[in-house]
Amino acid sequence: MSRTCVLVLRLAGPLQSWGASSRFTRRTTESAPTKSGVIGLLASAAGIDRSDDTHLAPLAALRFGVRIDQPGTRIRDFHTAHHGVTGASMPLSERFYLADAVFVAAAEGDQALLTDLHDALRAPVYLPYLGRRSCPPSEPVDIGRYEDTTLENVLTSVPWQASAWYRRRHRAPQSLTVLRERAATEPSEPADVLRDQPVSFDAAHRRHALRTVVTTAVPTPLPAGGGSPQGPHDPFAALDALENESA
């Protein structure tokens, strides 16, 4: 029997958008990354074609979970566009984003598959984005690959990933919200249902099935000594320094 492990990502950027039920001219976003969005990110990094349902299936079978480390702010924007062939004006669309949000996403499954995906994240065929191509991550998304553990343990123990500027301005919460898929051995309990299980990303017949989402809370895991879980790099540090000088 093949071993299992957990691949962990830090999803942070100026804007993110994770739609699960967007239709026509109103493009909404969920409050946390969707499984279809994160699996799409991994498939893109691995160079899997949108129409390749065969190679998508093992990724879609991974057990998925996400932790909300910095909820961000929901904002709305309006988009205009023109038809690529005729040049005719398209209907005005209303699109929603999460600004300044940070999430920890994790996928549990076959060790060999997740090892390949981990390597792909370090040298992606296609650059990752946070739900939409207009939403690039602010830094590499890879946190690491953990063996001999479970999705629940990783989402409980990975240090709080909120941005440095956010931690300076906000007291650490006592707990963080986790949205995850139920384990096969876990007893059935009330759960939400979301049409977010990827079946095909083919533009001609994109399909998603239903999946259950269990909501729990975990104590906020601060890093040892209370330092920055992401090290010294902070893209907003220069702006904070200017703000302090002008104060």
Side-chain angles (χ1 to χ4, degrees):
M1 178 181 296
S2 58
R3 297 174 58 189
T4 61
C5 67
V6 180
L7 179 64
V8 187
L9 289 70
R10 181 180 189 266
L11 305 177
L15 293 176
Q16 305 186 38
S17 188
W18 306 96
S21 59
S22 298
R23 291 293 186 273
F24 307 110
T25 60
R26 182 177 173 84
R27 306 297 180 89
T28 60
T29 179
E30 299 295 319
S31 59
T34 57
K35 181 177 184 178
S36 59
V38 175
I39 293 300
L41 183 155
L42 294 173
S44 178
I48 298 175
D49 189 87
R50 279 182 173 274
S51 61
D52 190 348
D53 298 344
T54 300
H55 285 91
L56 171 65
L59 277 65
L62 296 170
R63 192 160 73 98
F64 175 74
V66 63
R67 194 180 73 195
I68 304 176
D69 283 30
Q70 185 175 320
T73 303
R74 192 183 300 266
I75 63 174
R76 180 175 62 175
D77 192 18
F78 293 95
H79 285 234
T80 59
H82 292 80
H83 194 281
V85 177
T86 66
S89 297
M90 304 295 287
L92 182 70
S93 63
E94 183 181 27
R95 305 191 184 193
F96 292 81
Y97 299 87
L98 297 174
D100 295 327
V102 180
F103 305 98
V104 172
E108 178 188 283
D110 178 71
Q111 181 187 42
L113 172 60
L114 290 178
T115 298
D116 289 342
L117 292 175
H118 190 207
D119 293 339
L121 287 176
R122 296 179 172 184
V125 176
Y126 302 106
L127 294 177
Y129 51 87
L130 307 179
R132 293 196 185 126
R133 289 192 181 92
S134 59
C135 302
S138 57
E139 57 188 77
V141 300
D142 168 50
I143 287 182
R145 182 170 52 85
Y146 297 78
E147 299 182 10
D148 300 322
T149 187
T150 65
L151 185 77
E152 290 81 1
N153 288 341
V154 168
L155 292 175
T156 299
S157 61
V158 168
W160 187 36
Q161 298 292 312
S163 302
W165 67 265
Y166 185 89
R167 295 197 307 274
R168 287 194 295 268
R169 299 178 185 180
H170 300 271
R171 184 187 300 273
Q174 293 186 343
S175 63
L176 301 173
T177 299
V178 169
L179 309 172
R180 61 171 177 81
E181 294 178 328
R182 185 185 291 118
T185 58
E186 190 174 357
S188 297
E189 294 182 358
D192 296 320
V193 177
L194 192 65
R195 188 168 293 279
D196 179 40
Q197 176 64 32
V199 177
S200 175
F201 289 143
D202 193 321
H205 53 82
R206 185 175 300 176
R207 300 192 309 276
H208 295 81
L210 296 174
R211 71 180 183 94
T212 57
V213 179
V214 177
T215 302
T216 62
V218 298
T220 302
L222 293 176
S228 168
Q230 283 302 113
H233 175 69
D234 178 8
F236 294 98
L239 296 178
D240 288 339
L242 291 175
E243 182 179 291
N244 293 333
E245 290 177 1
S246 60

